[in-house]
Amino acid sequence: MPENTIVSMYKQSVEQIERLVEVMDARKEGIKAMKPDRFTEDQKWFLLAHVFGFPQAEVARMFGKHKDTVNKKVKRLADRYAGLFDQEEPVTACA
């Protein structure tokens, strides 16, 4: 894999994580008021599957849950976050 592809993938991953933190920070109670280990189980599943790339079946195995339960809850969060991102104004690149 070319180095520039890896750099691009890394940059996109960092941007996704930053956007997720911004969305979670915007929640009523705010992420800053929470301890880092205080994500809900559903949020942990979402982060593992959508940010860190774990297969949802593997996430289900790690938490001792049925894969359909994890799939349903992760999809629900993904749809919710996608709706929030769609409301954002596009970010322009700095030259």
Side-chain angles (χ1 to χ4, degrees), residues 11-39:
K11 183 179 181 227
Q12 289 174 350
S13 297
V14 169
E15 289 170 357
Q16 280 185 310
I17 291 170
E18 288 173 347
R19 290 178 74 189
L20 285 169
V21 170
E22 287 175 13
V23 168
M24 288 189 272
D25 192 34
R27 290 174 38 186
K28 184 177 179 184
E29 63 270 13
I31 195 75
K32 291 177 183 174
M34 299 170 57
K35 295 180 182 176
D37 62 340
R38 297 287 304 257
F39 289 108

